[in-house]
């Protein structure tokens, strides 16, 4: 698919930097803003309800807008009803819950999380926030009134980056078992807190310069970190286990001509105990003639490179992996969006400049949600957000597959038919 118009699923009244899908409720959470500048651009977290209209088309409704004062949320992790939001050099923790309006009242169950250690309590504004008229009056022709509401409660703030010049948290993750909260920022440190106690466990220098990305494997066995110092490191706790070298797959590429941009672990479909790691490499410096970016697939156990493939000359800005591990999503600084097959690293879907500017985050829809079909007849669907304030959905219609035995059967019939035809034309053929 080339350059074409993808309809906007949702448009916010501020730049969007991050998007997540809550795995338990299916609520879409997206956030951003204008920061501390006095431009009138607000900072907020928006909660969206996704609806499947028919077999392929999606629409959204704004459930709630949570104001974040003068700080824009640049990155986010979501799990078990908790949001960890990167705002400047802090990680802001808040809970959210769906509340059903019954008889004019909002019914909900209270939940609390114990806090210890170096966490500071922060009063939440979410329980006082109401749907902001300005936010709801944006370009949202598909938005419709809902009876479901969101209650947001502030929990704590953690100092996640100590850069003395311009502190900025760049990455945040919950561990797969939700027992750890991890952050990385411009000071090159990885900070790890036990969750939900928020007692600091590790604080170590992982890279010289900014942390670009990191991800943790299931069972918390490996933490893989990516920095601007050309390194991709594997950690066991706070101890360096090994460094990865994607150049082994393409030795003719000069060292330090590329740097790692992103990393993600992913499952292998129908193979429960098999794991893969995917990394993106982008040119360190842009030349007049653009050079390609690369995707690399690694064995999740040995962490040895398996396959490297070029993924276009547009600089990659973000990476996502579907829950099944079947698909990879890529966004670019020029606004393009692509979906690749994880097994072969082949491009399956591409829209050139789908957004008007850099794609900041991607999120695949879950395969299923408490029996609710969120994909329809699509094989997969992925959300993208960008600085142009737009949220889009990119779907791939289910491909038709034929069983191997059926293919072999028809091949056999064709061979028999050719033999019979030759026998009838040339009686002495056999």
């Amino acid at each position: 698919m080339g350059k074409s118009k993808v309809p906007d699923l949702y448009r916010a009244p501020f730049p969007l930097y991050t998007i997540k899908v809550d795995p338990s409720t299916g609520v879409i959470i997206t956030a951003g803003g204008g920061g501390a500048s006095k431009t009138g651009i607000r900072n907020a977290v928006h909660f969206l309800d996704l609806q499947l209209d028919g077999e392929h088309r999606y629409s959204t409704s704004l459930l709630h807008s949570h104001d974040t004062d003068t700080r824009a949320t640049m990155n986010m992790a979501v799990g078990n009803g908790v949001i960890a939001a990167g705002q400047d050099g802090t990680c802001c923790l808040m809970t959210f819950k769906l509340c059903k309006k019954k008889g004019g009242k909002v019914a909900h169950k209270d939940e609390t999380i114990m806090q210890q250690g170096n966490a500071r309590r922060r009063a939440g504004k979410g329980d006082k926030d109401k749907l902001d008229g300005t936010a709801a009056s944006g370009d949202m022709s598909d938005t419709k009134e809902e009876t479901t509401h969101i209650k947001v409660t502030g929990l704590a703030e953690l100092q996640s980056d100590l850069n003395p010049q311009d502190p900025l948290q760049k990455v945040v993750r919950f561990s797969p078992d939700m027992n750890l909260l991890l952050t990385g920022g411009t000071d090159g440190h990885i900070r790890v807190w036990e969750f939900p106690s928020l007692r600091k466990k590790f604080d170590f220098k992982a890279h010289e310069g900014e942390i670009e990305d990191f991800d943790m494997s299931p069972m918390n066995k490996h933490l893989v970190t990516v920095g601007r110092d050309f390194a991709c490191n594997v950690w066991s706790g706070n101890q360096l286990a090994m460094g990865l070298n994607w150049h082994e797959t393409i030795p003719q590429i000069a060292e330090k001509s590329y740097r790692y941009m992103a990393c993600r672990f992913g499952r292998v479909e129908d193979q429960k105990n098999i794991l893969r790691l995917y990394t993106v490499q982008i040119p360190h410096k842009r030349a007049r003639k653009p050079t390609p970016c690369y995707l690399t697939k690694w064995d999740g156990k040995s962490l040895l490179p398996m396959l490297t493939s070029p993924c276009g000359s547009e600089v990659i800005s973000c990476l996502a992996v579907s829950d099944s591990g079947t698909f990879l999503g890529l966004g670019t600084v020029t606004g393009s969006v692509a979906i690749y097959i994880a097994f072969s690293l082949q491009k399956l879907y591409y829209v050139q400049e789908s957004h008007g500017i850099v794609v900041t985050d991607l999120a695949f829809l879950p395969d299923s949600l408490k029996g609710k079909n969120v994909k329809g007849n699509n094989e997969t669907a992925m959300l993208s957000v960008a600085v142009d304030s737009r949220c889009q959905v990119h779907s791939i219609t289910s491909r038709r597959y034929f069983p191997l035995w059926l293919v072999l059967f028809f091949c056999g019939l064709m061979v028999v038919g050719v033999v019979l035809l030759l026998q009838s034309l040339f009686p002495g053929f056999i």
Side-chain angles (χ1 to χ4, degrees), residues 312-334:
S313 58
E314 296 173 273
V315 178
I316 305 301
S317 57
C318 51
L319 166 70
V321 181
S322 65
D323 290 343
S324 65
T326 307
F327 302 103
L328 308 177
L330 295 178
T332 74
V333 298
T334 49

Side-chain angles (χ1 to χ4, degrees), residues 60-213:
T60 58
S61 56
L62 178 63
L63 295 176
H64 182 69
S65 176
H66 174 70
D67 184 71
T68 57
D69 300 322
T70 61
R71 298 185 299 184
T73 299
M74 306 298 293
N75 44 78
M76 194 165 54
V78 175
N80 292 353
V82 179
I83 298 173
Q87 299 171 358
D88 299 330
T90 63
C91 183
C92 179
L93 291 161
M94 60 191 89
T95 61
F96 69 96
K97 67 175 89 270
L98 270 72
C99 309
K100 297 288 186 179
K101 181 183 289 186
K102 296 181 180 179
K105 295 182 179 180
V106 175
H108 62 83
K109 296 180 180 179
D110 290 333
E111 295 179 358
T112 60
I113 290 186
M114 299 300 295
Q115 302 173 58
Q116 300 175 4
N118 61 345
R120 302 198 313 270
R121 293 184 180 273
R122 180 171 184 260
K125 291 188 176 183
D127 52 342
K128 295 182 291 183
D129 284 351
K130 297 185 181 295
L131 186 65
D132 188 279
T134 304
S137 63
D139 185 12
M140 299 180 291
S141 57
D142 288 335
T143 300
K144 49 186 178 295
E145 185 177 357
E146 295 286 336
T147 57
T148 302
H149 296 264
I150 299 288
K151 177 182 175 64
V152 181
T153 304
L155 284 178
E157 284 188 4
L158 304 171
Q159 192 69 34
S160 55
D161 190 78
L162 298 178
N163 189 327
Q165 296 181 344
D166 189 15
L168 178 65
Q169 175 183 299
K170 296 197 67 177
V171 194
V172 60
R173 297 267 188 278
F174 287 110
S175 62
D177 60 7
M178 289 294 296
N179 288 330
L180 299 174
L181 172 67
L182 304 92
T183 65
T186 57
D187 64 0
H189 279 246
I190 296 292
R191 293 178 173 88
V192 182
W193 288 268
E194 295 175 354
F195 188 81
S197 69
L198 300 180
R199 182 170 55 247
K200 184 178 283 189
K201 184 175 183 179
F202 297 125
D203 185 341
F204 60 96
K205 183 80 168 179
H207 292 273
E208 296 297 329
E210 298 182 11
I211 303 289
E212 285 284 16
D213 199 9

Side-chain angles (χ1 to χ4, degrees), residues 247-299:
H247 292 96
E248 294 177 7
T249 58
I250 309 180
Q252 65 270 24
I253 292 181
E255 190 176 357
K256 293 193 175 182
S257 59
Y258 281 78
R259 64 180 178 87
Y260 292 93
M261 176 63 191
C263 62
R264 287 291 185 282
F265 282 100
R267 297 168 45 202
V268 176
E269 193 171 15
D270 300 327
Q271 299 186 51
K272 184 182 297 185
N273 297 322
I274 305 299
L275 194 67
R276 297 286 182 258
L277 172 69
Y278 302 94
T279 61
V280 169
Q281 294 80 229
I282 64 174
H284 177 54
K285 295 181 179 179
R286 296 298 290 170
R288 286 187 178 182
K289 183 179 180 181
T291 52
C293 297
Y294 288 93
L295 266 171
T296 299
K297 178 172 66 172
W298 310 74
D299 182 274

